[in-house]
Amino acid sequence: MPNITRGDRASGLLAYLVGQSTREAHHHSNAHTNPHIVAGHDAIVHDAPAGELTMDDALDIANLLDMPRRLYGTRVTVPVKEWDDALGKKVKVGERDAHVWHASLSIKADEGPLSDAKWGDIARDFVDGMGFTDADGAGSCRWVAIRHGESAGGNDHIHIAVSLVREDGEKARVHDDFRRAQRLTNELEHKYGLTVLASREQDKSTLRGVTPAELERARRDGDRVTQRDELRRRLRSSLAVATDEVSFIDQCRQHRVLVRPRFDKDNRDRVVGYSAAIVPEVIDGVRQAPIWFAGSKLDRNLGLGQLREQWQSDPPTEGDAVVFWKRRGRVEKQLEDMPSSLGKRPTSDEIRQLNGKYGETVLPDFSGVPQTASMSPAEASAFYARLSMLTERAVHGPLAETSNELAQEAQPPRRGRRGQPRVQRGDAAYSARLANRATSTSARTGWTAVFRQASRTAGAVADARRERAALVEAQRLAASTTEANAAWERWAQSMGWNDPARQGPAPVQPQTQTRAPRRGRDTDRGQGR
Protein backbone atom coordinates (compact mmCIF):
# COMPACT_ATOMS: atom_id res chain seq x y z
CA MET A 1 0.00 0.00 0.00
CA PRO A 2 -0.81 2.53 -1.36
CA ASN A 3 -1.61 2.53 -5.08
CA ILE A 4 -2.82 5.85 -6.53
CA THR A 5 -4.67 6.66 -9.77
CA ARG A 6 -6.58 9.65 -11.19
CA GLY A 7 -9.75 9.67 -13.30
CA ASP A 8 -12.80 11.68 -14.32
CA ARG A 9 -15.76 9.37 -13.64
CA ALA A 10 -16.81 8.92 -10.04
CA SER A 11 -19.73 6.78 -11.20
CA GLY A 12 -17.43 4.42 -13.09
CA LEU A 13 -15.11 3.97 -10.12
CA LEU A 14 -17.95 3.36 -7.65
CA ALA A 15 -19.62 0.95 -10.07
CA TYR A 16 -16.37 -1.02 -10.26
CA LEU A 17 -16.05 -1.14 -6.46
CA VAL A 18 -19.65 -2.20 -5.91
CA GLY A 19 -21.07 -3.63 -9.12
CA GLN A 20 -22.49 -7.13 -9.37
CA SER A 21 -21.19 -7.40 -12.92
CA THR A 22 -17.66 -7.29 -11.60
CA ARG A 23 -18.37 -10.09 -9.16
CA GLU A 24 -19.86 -12.23 -11.92
CA ALA A 25 -16.97 -11.60 -14.31
CA HIS A 26 -14.32 -12.27 -11.68
CA HIS A 27 -15.98 -14.98 -9.61
CA HIS A 28 -13.12 -17.38 -10.32
CA SER A 29 -10.26 -15.12 -9.23
CA ASN A 30 -11.08 -11.75 -7.72
CA ALA A 31 -14.71 -11.67 -6.60
CA HIS A 32 -16.00 -8.57 -4.86
CA THR A 33 -17.92 -9.71 -1.81
CA ASN A 34 -20.14 -7.64 0.48
CA PRO A 35 -19.02 -4.17 -0.70
CA HIS A 36 -19.69 -1.70 2.11
CA ILE A 37 -18.55 1.66 3.47
CA VAL A 38 -16.06 1.70 6.35
CA ALA A 39 -15.57 5.50 6.53
CA GLY A 40 -16.21 8.69 4.59
CA HIS A 41 -17.21 12.34 4.50
CA ASP A 42 -20.19 13.17 6.69
CA ALA A 43 -22.39 14.09 3.70
CA ILE A 44 -21.84 10.61 2.24
CA VAL A 45 -21.89 8.47 5.37
CA HIS A 46 -25.09 10.17 6.61
CA ASP A 47 -27.10 9.20 3.51
CA ALA A 48 -25.47 5.88 2.57
CA PRO A 49 -26.87 2.51 3.73
CA ALA A 50 -25.08 0.66 6.50
CA GLY A 51 -25.02 -2.78 4.86
CA GLU A 52 -24.04 -4.22 1.49
CA LEU A 53 -24.11 -1.66 -1.31
CA THR A 54 -26.08 -2.08 -4.52
CA MET A 55 -25.43 -0.55 -7.93
CA ASP A 56 -28.06 2.11 -7.21
CA ASP A 57 -26.23 2.92 -3.98
CA ALA A 58 -22.97 3.25 -5.91
CA LEU A 59 -24.48 5.80 -8.30
CA ASP A 60 -26.01 7.76 -5.40
CA ILE A 61 -22.63 7.87 -3.65
CA ALA A 62 -20.95 9.02 -6.88
CA ASN A 63 -23.45 11.87 -7.19
CA LEU A 64 -22.80 12.98 -3.61
CA LEU A 65 -19.05 12.72 -4.14
CA ASP A 66 -19.20 14.84 -7.29
CA MET A 67 -21.67 17.48 -6.07
CA PRO A 68 -19.17 20.31 -5.27
CA ARG A 69 -17.58 20.02 -8.71
CA ARG A 70 -20.93 20.18 -10.47
CA LEU A 71 -22.09 23.02 -8.23
CA TYR A 72 -19.07 25.27 -8.82
CA GLY A 73 -18.04 24.03 -12.27
CA THR A 74 -14.41 23.68 -11.15
CA ARG A 75 -12.25 21.77 -13.58
CA VAL A 76 -9.30 19.65 -12.41
CA THR A 77 -7.00 18.35 -15.15
CA VAL A 78 -3.73 16.56 -15.77
CA PRO A 79 -1.55 16.94 -18.89
CA VAL A 80 -1.78 14.44 -21.73
CA LYS A 81 1.62 13.61 -23.16
CA GLU A 82 2.72 11.72 -26.26
CA TRP A 83 6.10 10.55 -27.44
CA ASP A 84 7.87 12.83 -29.91
CA ASP A 85 10.43 10.95 -32.02
CA ALA A 86 12.12 14.15 -33.14
CA LEU A 87 12.68 15.39 -29.58
CA GLY A 88 13.21 11.95 -28.08
CA LYS A 89 10.86 12.62 -25.18
CA LYS A 90 7.19 12.96 -24.26
CA VAL A 91 5.59 16.34 -24.94
CA LYS A 92 2.31 17.81 -23.76
CA VAL A 93 -0.42 17.56 -26.40
CA GLY A 94 -3.44 18.45 -24.31
CA GLU A 95 -5.25 17.95 -21.02
CA ARG A 96 -7.80 15.55 -19.60
CA ASP A 97 -10.18 15.77 -16.66
CA ALA A 98 -8.90 14.11 -13.50
CA HIS A 99 -11.02 15.25 -10.57
CA VAL A 100 -11.39 11.78 -8.99
CA TRP A 101 -8.45 10.66 -6.82
CA HIS A 102 -8.34 6.95 -6.03
CA ALA A 103 -6.07 5.05 -3.65
CA SER A 104 -6.12 1.42 -2.60
CA LEU A 105 -4.59 0.46 0.74
CA SER A 106 -3.78 -3.19 1.34
CA ILE A 107 -2.01 -5.47 3.79
CA LYS A 108 -0.29 -8.79 3.16
CA ALA A 109 -2.40 -11.93 3.20
CA ASP A 110 -0.42 -13.38 6.11
CA GLU A 111 -1.32 -10.40 8.32
CA GLY A 112 -4.93 -11.54 8.39
CA PRO A 113 -8.08 -9.44 7.87
CA LEU A 114 -8.59 -6.26 9.86
CA SER A 115 -11.90 -5.21 11.39
CA ASP A 116 -14.11 -2.62 9.70
CA ALA A 117 -13.48 -0.30 12.64
CA LYS A 118 -9.70 -0.51 12.24
CA TRP A 119 -9.89 0.02 8.48
CA GLY A 120 -12.12 3.01 9.15
CA ASP A 121 -9.54 4.52 11.51
CA ILE A 122 -6.77 3.91 8.97
CA ALA A 123 -8.82 5.51 6.19
CA ARG A 124 -9.59 8.62 8.26
CA ASP A 125 -5.93 9.02 9.27
CA PHE A 126 -4.83 8.56 5.67
CA VAL A 127 -7.25 11.14 4.26
CA ASP A 128 -6.38 13.58 7.06
CA GLY A 129 -2.66 13.05 6.49
CA MET A 130 -3.01 13.68 2.75
CA GLY A 131 -4.60 17.07 3.49
CA PHE A 132 -8.03 16.25 2.06
CA THR A 133 -9.88 17.29 5.24
CA ASP A 134 -10.22 20.62 7.00
CA ALA A 135 -11.25 21.24 10.59
CA ASP A 136 -13.62 24.03 9.54
CA GLY A 137 -15.20 21.91 6.81
CA ALA A 138 -15.05 24.45 3.97
CA GLY A 139 -11.65 23.24 2.79
CA SER A 140 -12.54 19.54 2.97
CA CYS A 141 -12.93 17.14 0.06
CA ARG A 142 -15.72 14.62 -0.11
CA TRP A 143 -14.44 11.06 0.16
CA VAL A 144 -15.51 7.51 0.83
CA ALA A 145 -13.67 4.30 1.81
CA ILE A 146 -15.12 1.01 0.57
CA ARG A 147 -14.19 -2.53 1.48
CA HIS A 148 -15.21 -5.36 -0.84
CA GLY A 149 -13.35 -8.50 0.17
CA GLU A 150 -9.87 -9.82 -0.48
CA SER A 151 -7.81 -9.36 -3.63
CA ALA A 152 -6.90 -12.24 -5.94
CA GLY A 153 -3.75 -12.69 -3.86
CA GLY A 154 -5.71 -12.90 -0.62
CA ASN A 155 -4.77 -9.40 0.58
CA ASP A 156 -7.26 -7.54 2.75
CA HIS A 157 -7.69 -4.01 1.41
CA ILE A 158 -9.87 -0.93 1.05
CA HIS A 159 -10.40 1.63 -1.72
CA ILE A 160 -10.58 5.36 -1.05
CA ALA A 161 -12.26 7.68 -3.59
CA VAL A 162 -11.76 11.43 -3.19
CA SER A 163 -13.27 14.35 -5.11
CA LEU A 164 -10.50 16.87 -5.78
CA VAL A 165 -12.95 19.78 -5.73
CA ARG A 166 -13.35 20.95 -2.15
CA GLU A 167 -16.58 22.03 -0.47
CA ASP A 168 -15.69 25.68 -1.18
CA GLY A 169 -15.14 24.99 -4.89
CA GLU A 170 -11.34 25.25 -4.74
CA LYS A 171 -8.99 22.57 -6.05
CA ALA A 172 -7.40 20.20 -3.54
CA ARG A 173 -3.62 20.06 -3.27
CA VAL A 174 -2.20 16.90 -4.85
CA HIS A 175 1.39 17.95 -5.51
CA ASP A 176 3.87 15.13 -4.81
CA ASP A 177 0.97 12.95 -3.67
CA PHE A 178 2.70 9.64 -4.36
CA ARG A 179 5.73 10.40 -2.17
CA ARG A 180 3.56 11.94 0.54
CA ALA A 181 1.34 8.85 0.52
CA GLN A 182 4.39 6.60 0.88
CA ARG A 183 5.66 8.53 3.90
CA LEU A 184 2.20 8.61 5.45
CA THR A 185 1.76 4.88 4.91
CA ASN A 186 4.98 4.22 6.82
CA GLU A 187 3.62 6.19 9.77
CA LEU A 188 0.33 4.29 9.68
CA GLU A 189 2.07 0.92 9.52
CA HIS A 190 3.87 1.77 12.76
CA LYS A 191 0.79 3.27 14.41
CA TYR A 192 -1.47 0.28 13.73
CA GLY A 193 1.11 -2.47 14.24
CA LEU A 194 1.17 -3.57 10.60
CA THR A 195 4.11 -5.00 8.69
CA VAL A 196 6.44 -2.12 7.92
CA LEU A 197 7.87 -2.14 4.42
CA ALA A 198 11.62 -2.40 4.94
CA SER A 199 12.45 -0.29 1.89
CA ARG A 200 10.71 2.71 3.48
CA GLU A 201 12.61 2.23 6.73
CA GLN A 202 15.88 2.19 4.79
CA ASP A 203 14.90 5.22 2.68
CA LYS A 204 14.73 3.05 -0.43
CA SER A 205 12.51 3.43 -3.42
CA THR A 206 9.93 0.70 -3.96
CA LEU A 207 8.79 -1.33 -6.90
CA ARG A 208 5.69 0.44 -8.13
CA GLY A 209 2.58 -1.72 -7.96
CA VAL A 210 0.23 -2.42 -10.82
CA THR A 211 -2.81 -0.19 -11.24
CA PRO A 212 -6.44 -1.35 -11.37
CA ALA A 213 -6.48 -0.39 -15.05
CA GLU A 214 -3.51 -2.67 -15.74
CA LEU A 215 -5.18 -5.54 -13.91
CA GLU A 216 -8.37 -4.98 -15.88
CA ARG A 217 -6.44 -4.93 -19.17
CA ALA A 218 -4.71 -8.21 -18.30
CA ARG A 219 -8.06 -9.80 -17.43
CA ARG A 220 -9.67 -8.51 -20.61
CA ASP A 221 -6.80 -9.73 -22.80
CA GLY A 222 -6.68 -13.13 -21.10
CA ASP A 223 -3.14 -12.60 -19.77
CA ARG A 224 -1.99 -14.26 -16.59
CA VAL A 225 0.12 -11.28 -15.49
CA THR A 226 0.17 -7.57 -16.24
CA GLN A 227 2.45 -6.10 -18.88
CA ARG A 228 4.31 -4.20 -16.15
CA ASP A 229 5.24 -7.40 -14.29
CA GLU A 230 6.11 -9.32 -17.45
CA LEU A 231 8.23 -6.48 -18.80
CA ARG A 232 10.17 -6.31 -15.53
CA ARG A 233 10.93 -10.01 -15.81
CA ARG A 234 12.07 -9.77 -19.43
CA LEU A 235 14.32 -6.76 -18.81
CA ARG A 236 15.92 -8.40 -15.77
CA SER A 237 16.43 -11.57 -17.79
CA SER A 238 18.05 -9.49 -20.54
CA LEU A 239 20.33 -7.92 -17.95
CA ALA A 240 21.42 -11.34 -16.63
CA VAL A 241 23.67 -12.00 -19.63
CA ALA A 242 24.29 -8.44 -20.83
CA THR A 243 27.78 -7.11 -20.19
CA ASP A 244 27.37 -3.67 -21.72
CA GLU A 245 24.84 -1.31 -23.29
CA VAL A 246 25.02 -2.82 -26.77
CA SER A 247 24.50 -6.40 -25.56
CA PHE A 248 21.58 -5.24 -23.40
CA ILE A 249 19.89 -3.71 -26.45
CA ASP A 250 20.35 -6.99 -28.33
CA GLN A 251 19.08 -9.06 -25.41
CA CYS A 252 15.93 -6.92 -25.33
CA ARG A 253 15.39 -7.84 -28.97
CA GLN A 254 15.88 -11.53 -28.15
CA HIS A 255 13.25 -11.18 -25.41
CA ARG A 256 10.79 -9.58 -27.85
CA VAL A 257 11.00 -6.23 -26.06
CA LEU A 258 10.81 -2.96 -27.98
CA VAL A 259 13.09 -0.17 -26.78
CA ARG A 260 13.31 3.49 -27.61
CA PRO A 261 16.00 5.91 -26.37
CA ARG A 262 15.47 9.19 -24.60
CA PHE A 263 17.97 11.75 -25.82
CA ASP A 264 19.48 14.69 -24.01
CA LYS A 265 17.32 17.71 -24.82
CA ASP A 266 20.36 19.59 -26.15
CA ASN A 267 22.29 16.72 -27.70
CA ARG A 268 20.79 14.05 -29.96
CA ASP A 269 24.02 12.06 -29.73
CA ARG A 270 23.67 11.48 -26.01
CA VAL A 271 21.19 8.92 -24.65
CA VAL A 272 20.07 9.63 -21.08
CA GLY A 273 17.29 7.05 -20.63
CA TYR A 274 15.02 4.59 -22.37
CA SER A 275 11.50 3.19 -22.45
CA ALA A 276 10.50 -0.39 -23.18
CA ALA A 277 7.37 -2.24 -24.29
CA ILE A 278 6.37 -5.83 -25.01
CA VAL A 279 5.70 -6.51 -28.68
CA PRO A 280 1.95 -5.84 -29.09
CA GLU A 281 -0.39 -8.39 -30.58
CA VAL A 282 -1.95 -8.35 -34.01
CA ILE A 283 -5.75 -8.27 -33.81
CA ASP A 284 -7.83 -8.57 -36.97
CA GLY A 285 -4.72 -7.97 -39.03
CA VAL A 286 -3.78 -4.75 -37.20
CA ARG A 287 -0.76 -4.45 -34.91
CA GLN A 288 -1.89 -2.87 -31.65
CA ALA A 289 -0.11 0.13 -30.13
CA PRO A 290 2.67 -0.77 -27.67
CA ILE A 291 2.38 0.24 -24.02
CA TRP A 292 5.60 1.95 -22.99
CA PHE A 293 7.21 2.02 -19.55
CA ALA A 294 10.35 3.90 -18.54
CA GLY A 295 12.95 1.41 -17.33
CA SER A 296 13.56 3.34 -14.11
CA LYS A 297 9.80 3.39 -13.37
CA LEU A 298 9.63 -0.40 -13.56
CA ASP A 299 12.64 -0.93 -11.31
CA ARG A 300 15.21 1.68 -10.32
CA ASN A 301 17.99 -0.81 -11.07
CA LEU A 302 16.72 -1.03 -14.66
CA GLY A 303 17.21 2.70 -15.22
CA LEU A 304 19.94 3.48 -17.73
CA GLY A 305 22.07 5.33 -15.19
CA GLN A 306 22.03 2.37 -12.81
CA LEU A 307 22.74 -0.08 -15.63
CA ARG A 308 25.75 1.95 -16.76
CA GLU A 309 27.14 1.88 -13.24
CA GLN A 310 26.73 -1.89 -13.11
CA TRP A 311 28.62 -2.18 -16.40
CA GLN A 312 31.13 0.48 -15.27
CA SER A 313 30.59 2.31 -18.54
CA ASP A 314 32.62 5.33 -19.61
CA PRO A 315 31.75 8.15 -22.05
CA PRO A 316 33.42 6.47 -25.08
CA THR A 317 31.47 3.20 -24.65
CA GLU A 318 28.26 5.13 -24.03
CA GLY A 319 28.93 7.08 -27.22
CA ASP A 320 29.53 3.87 -29.18
CA ALA A 321 26.13 2.59 -28.05
CA VAL A 322 24.25 5.59 -29.46
CA VAL A 323 24.37 4.20 -33.00
CA PHE A 324 22.76 0.97 -31.77
CA TRP A 325 20.01 2.90 -29.98
CA LYS A 326 19.30 4.86 -33.13
CA ARG A 327 19.46 1.72 -35.26
CA ARG A 328 16.52 0.29 -33.36
CA GLY A 329 14.52 3.12 -34.92
CA ARG A 330 10.76 3.05 -35.05
CA VAL A 331 8.62 0.15 -33.90
CA GLU A 332 8.08 -1.05 -37.46
CA LYS A 333 11.83 -1.28 -38.02
CA GLN A 334 12.41 -3.16 -34.77
CA LEU A 335 9.77 -5.72 -35.67
CA GLU A 336 11.60 -6.60 -38.89
CA ASP A 337 14.37 -8.54 -37.12
CA MET A 338 12.47 -9.49 -33.96
CA PRO A 339 12.49 -13.24 -33.14
CA SER A 340 9.12 -14.86 -33.75
CA SER A 341 9.12 -16.46 -30.31
CA LEU A 342 11.02 -16.63 -27.04
CA GLY A 343 13.77 -19.23 -26.70
CA LYS A 344 12.97 -22.31 -24.65
CA ARG A 345 16.50 -23.61 -23.97
CA PRO A 346 19.75 -21.81 -23.20
CA THR A 347 22.07 -21.59 -26.18
CA SER A 348 25.80 -22.30 -25.94
CA ASP A 349 26.50 -18.58 -26.46
CA GLU A 350 24.19 -17.67 -23.61
CA ILE A 351 25.84 -20.18 -21.27
CA ARG A 352 29.26 -18.81 -22.23
CA GLN A 353 28.09 -15.22 -21.65
CA LEU A 354 26.48 -15.99 -18.31
CA ASN A 355 29.41 -17.96 -16.95
CA GLY A 356 31.91 -15.47 -18.28
CA LYS A 357 30.11 -12.50 -16.74
CA TYR A 358 29.67 -13.98 -13.29
CA GLY A 359 32.97 -15.83 -13.36
CA GLU A 360 34.67 -12.53 -12.66
CA THR A 361 32.63 -11.68 -9.58
CA VAL A 362 30.46 -14.52 -8.42
CA LEU A 363 31.60 -18.11 -8.23
CA PRO A 364 32.69 -19.33 -4.78
CA ASP A 365 35.59 -21.69 -4.12
CA PHE A 366 33.94 -25.10 -3.92
CA SER A 367 37.19 -26.82 -2.96
CA GLY A 368 37.21 -25.33 0.55
CA VAL A 369 34.89 -23.99 3.21
CA PRO A 370 31.74 -22.38 1.72
CA GLN A 371 32.26 -18.67 1.28
CA THR A 372 29.99 -15.71 1.94
CA ALA A 373 27.72 -14.86 -0.96
CA SER A 374 29.40 -12.45 -3.38
CA MET A 375 26.58 -11.97 -5.92
CA SER A 376 24.63 -8.79 -5.23
CA PRO A 377 20.83 -8.92 -4.79
CA ALA A 378 20.37 -7.08 -8.11
CA GLU A 379 22.53 -9.64 -9.94
CA ALA A 380 20.72 -12.54 -8.25
CA SER A 381 17.36 -10.99 -9.16
CA ALA A 382 18.39 -10.87 -12.83
CA PHE A 383 19.57 -14.48 -12.75
CA TYR A 384 16.33 -15.75 -11.19
CA ALA A 385 14.39 -13.80 -13.83
CA ARG A 386 16.40 -15.53 -16.57
CA LEU A 387 15.62 -18.94 -15.09
CA SER A 388 11.96 -17.95 -14.80
CA MET A 389 11.84 -17.07 -18.49
CA LEU A 390 13.32 -20.46 -19.39
CA THR A 391 11.36 -22.64 -17.00
CA GLU A 392 8.13 -20.96 -15.87
CA ARG A 393 7.32 -19.39 -19.23
CA ALA A 394 3.85 -17.81 -19.06
CA VAL A 395 3.38 -18.41 -15.32
CA HIS A 396 5.16 -16.20 -12.80
CA GLY A 397 6.07 -18.87 -10.28
CA PRO A 398 8.59 -19.09 -7.39
CA LEU A 399 11.56 -18.13 -9.57
CA ALA A 400 9.84 -14.92 -10.69
CA GLU A 401 8.70 -14.27 -7.11
CA THR A 402 12.25 -14.69 -5.77
CA SER A 403 13.49 -12.34 -8.48
CA ASN A 404 10.97 -9.71 -7.35
CA GLU A 405 11.87 -10.11 -3.68
CA LEU A 406 15.59 -9.64 -4.41
CA ALA A 407 14.86 -6.71 -6.72
CA GLN A 408 12.99 -4.99 -3.90
CA GLU A 409 15.96 -5.51 -1.60
CA ALA A 410 18.29 -4.05 -4.23
CA GLN A 411 16.36 -0.80 -4.74
CA PRO A 412 18.67 2.21 -4.27
CA PRO A 413 17.87 5.17 -1.99
CA ARG A 414 15.13 7.47 -3.24
CA ARG A 415 17.64 10.28 -3.39
CA GLY A 416 21.36 9.85 -3.79
CA ARG A 417 23.26 10.34 -0.56
CA ARG A 418 26.93 11.24 -0.47
CA GLY A 419 29.31 8.56 0.65
CA GLN A 420 26.99 5.70 -0.37
CA PRO A 421 27.41 3.64 -3.54
CA ARG A 422 24.34 3.78 -5.74
CA VAL A 423 24.87 0.32 -7.21
CA GLN A 424 25.73 -2.88 -5.36
CA ARG A 425 28.29 -5.02 -7.12
CA GLY A 426 29.54 -8.52 -6.46
CA ASP A 427 32.81 -9.37 -4.72
CA ALA A 428 35.67 -9.81 -7.23
CA ALA A 429 38.06 -11.45 -4.73
CA TYR A 430 37.80 -14.90 -6.31
CA SER A 431 38.14 -13.82 -9.94
CA ALA A 432 41.71 -14.87 -10.75
CA ARG A 433 41.57 -18.27 -9.08
CA LEU A 434 38.20 -19.21 -10.54
CA ALA A 435 38.35 -17.76 -14.04
CA ASN A 436 38.87 -21.09 -15.77
CA ARG A 437 36.09 -22.76 -13.83
CA ALA A 438 33.67 -19.93 -14.44
CA THR A 439 34.12 -19.66 -18.18
CA SER A 440 33.62 -23.35 -18.83
CA THR A 441 30.92 -23.95 -21.44
CA SER A 442 29.78 -27.05 -19.58
CA ALA A 443 26.15 -26.17 -18.91
CA ARG A 444 25.89 -28.27 -15.76
CA THR A 445 29.09 -26.90 -14.24
CA GLY A 446 28.50 -23.24 -14.98
CA TRP A 447 24.77 -23.00 -14.29
CA THR A 448 24.97 -25.06 -11.10
CA ALA A 449 27.69 -22.85 -9.69
CA VAL A 450 25.87 -19.62 -10.52
CA PHE A 451 22.56 -20.95 -9.19
CA ARG A 452 24.22 -21.91 -5.91
CA GLN A 453 25.62 -18.42 -5.60
CA ALA A 454 22.23 -16.83 -6.33
CA SER A 455 20.63 -19.11 -3.73
CA ARG A 456 23.25 -18.09 -1.17
CA THR A 457 22.56 -14.44 -1.87
CA ALA A 458 18.82 -15.04 -1.34
CA GLY A 459 19.63 -16.73 1.96
CA ALA A 460 21.85 -13.84 3.03
CA VAL A 461 19.06 -11.36 2.22
CA ALA A 462 16.55 -13.41 4.24
CA ASP A 463 18.99 -13.42 7.18
CA ALA A 464 19.40 -9.65 6.90
CA ARG A 465 15.63 -9.22 7.00
CA ARG A 466 15.42 -11.31 10.16
CA GLU A 467 18.14 -9.21 11.80
CA ARG A 468 16.13 -6.04 11.21
CA ALA A 469 12.97 -7.78 12.52
CA ALA A 470 11.28 -7.93 9.11
CA LEU A 471 10.12 -11.45 9.93
CA VAL A 472 7.18 -11.66 7.51
CA GLU A 473 9.34 -10.48 4.58
CA ALA A 474 12.14 -12.87 5.60
CA GLN A 475 9.74 -15.81 5.72
CA ARG A 476 8.25 -14.85 2.36
CA LEU A 477 11.68 -14.80 0.70
CA ALA A 478 12.75 -18.05 2.40
CA ALA A 479 9.59 -19.80 1.20
CA SER A 480 9.95 -18.57 -2.39
CA THR A 481 13.64 -19.56 -2.42
CA THR A 482 12.80 -23.08 -1.24
CA GLU A 483 10.21 -23.42 -4.00
CA ALA A 484 12.67 -21.91 -6.50
CA ASN A 485 15.27 -24.54 -5.58
CA ALA A 486 12.74 -27.28 -6.28
CA ALA A 487 11.84 -25.66 -9.62
CA TRP A 488 15.53 -25.52 -10.52
CA GLU A 489 16.00 -29.22 -9.78
CA ARG A 490 13.03 -30.15 -11.97
CA TRP A 491 14.36 -28.04 -14.84
CA ALA A 492 17.91 -29.42 -14.47
CA GLN A 493 16.52 -32.93 -14.70
CA SER A 494 14.57 -32.00 -17.84
CA MET A 495 17.83 -30.71 -19.32
CA GLY A 496 19.56 -34.02 -18.57
CA TRP A 497 21.90 -32.53 -16.00
CA ASN A 498 21.30 -35.27 -13.41
CA ASP A 499 20.19 -33.24 -10.40
CA PRO A 500 23.07 -30.74 -10.45
CA ALA A 501 21.61 -28.82 -7.51
CA ARG A 502 22.44 -31.79 -5.26
CA GLN A 503 26.00 -32.25 -6.47
CA GLY A 504 29.20 -30.30 -6.45
CA PRO A 505 30.30 -28.92 -9.80
CA ALA A 506 31.70 -31.44 -12.24
CA PRO A 507 35.28 -31.09 -13.46
CA VAL A 508 35.72 -28.57 -16.23
CA GLN A 509 34.97 -30.22 -19.56
CA PRO A 510 36.22 -29.30 -23.02
CA GLN A 511 33.98 -26.95 -24.93
CA THR A 512 30.82 -28.69 -26.10
CA GLN A 513 28.02 -27.57 -28.36
CA THR A 514 24.61 -27.51 -26.72
CA ARG A 515 21.45 -28.04 -28.67
CA ALA A 516 20.01 -24.99 -30.38
CA PRO A 517 16.67 -23.63 -29.16
CA ARG A 518 13.70 -25.54 -30.48
CA ARG A 519 11.64 -23.53 -32.89
CA GLY A 520 8.00 -22.92 -32.15
CA ARG A 521 5.12 -20.63 -32.85
CA ASP A 522 4.84 -19.19 -29.38
CA THR A 523 3.34 -15.75 -29.16
CA ASP A 524 3.72 -13.21 -26.39
CA ARG A 525 0.30 -14.19 -25.01
CA GLY A 526 1.30 -17.41 -23.28
CA GLN A 527 4.67 -15.93 -22.39
CA GLY A 528 3.06 -13.69 -19.80
CA ARG A 529 1.63 -11.34 -22.41
Side-chain angles (χ1 to χ4, degrees), residues 4 101 125-132 173 177-178 180-181 184:
I4 297 171
W101 192 90
D125 284 349
F126 183 79
V127 174
D128 287 345
M130 290 300 296
F132 292 137
R173 176 179 176 269
D177 55 344
F178 181 79
R180 290 191 291 121
L184 178 58

Side-chain angles (χ1 to χ4, degrees), residues 329-407:
R330 296 180 177 274
V331 171
E332 294 78 8
K333 185 174 179 61
Q334 293 191 47
L335 291 172
E336 291 177 359
D337 64 347
M338 191 74 67
S340 60
S341 64
L342 298 173
K344 295 181 179 178
R345 295 174 67 88
T347 65
S348 57
D349 284 343
E350 179 184 338
I351 291 171
R352 190 178 298 108
Q353 285 176 310
L354 185 70
N355 296 340
K357 176 179 178 179
Y358 291 119
E360 298 178 358
T361 60
V362 173
L363 298 185
D365 185 354
F366 287 104
S367 61
V369 178
Q371 303 292 329
T372 302
S374 57
M375 181 189 281
S376 74
E379 291 169 332
S381 171
F383 178 71
Y384 275 109
R386 183 71 193 116
L387 283 179
S388 176
M389 291 295 299
L390 289 169
T391 67
E392 294 173 334
R393 310 294 289 163
V395 178
H396 283 212
L399 291 166
E401 182 179 350
T402 304
S403 174
N404 273 330
E405 289 287 340
L406 292 170

Side-chain angles (χ1 to χ4, degrees), residues 249-307:
I249 296 171
D250 183 64
Q251 279 297 317
C252 287
R253 181 182 67 84
Q254 296 292 339
H255 283 73
R256 290 181 58 78
V257 171
L258 302 170
V259 293
R260 65 183 183 192
R262 180 167 59 87
F263 295 102
D264 185 289
K265 64 179 181 179
D266 299 319
N267 185 358
R268 288 278 296 173
D269 289 325
R270 180 168 178 263
V271 177
V272 295
Y274 75 97
S275 296
I278 292 174
V279 173
E281 294 179 323
V282 175
I283 300 178
D284 296 330
V286 178
R287 176 76 66 179
Q288 303 301 296
I291 300 176
W292 297 94
F293 295 87
S296 59
K297 298 298 184 183
L298 293 167
D299 180 334
R300 288 283 298 280
N301 282 308
L302 294 175
L304 188 57
Q306 294 286 318
L307 294 180

Side-chain angles (χ1 to χ4, degrees), residues 23 175 249 299 364 373 381 490 498 507:
R23 294 204 293 274
H175 175 68
I249 296 171
D299 180 334
S381 171
R490 291 191 296 271
N498 301 320

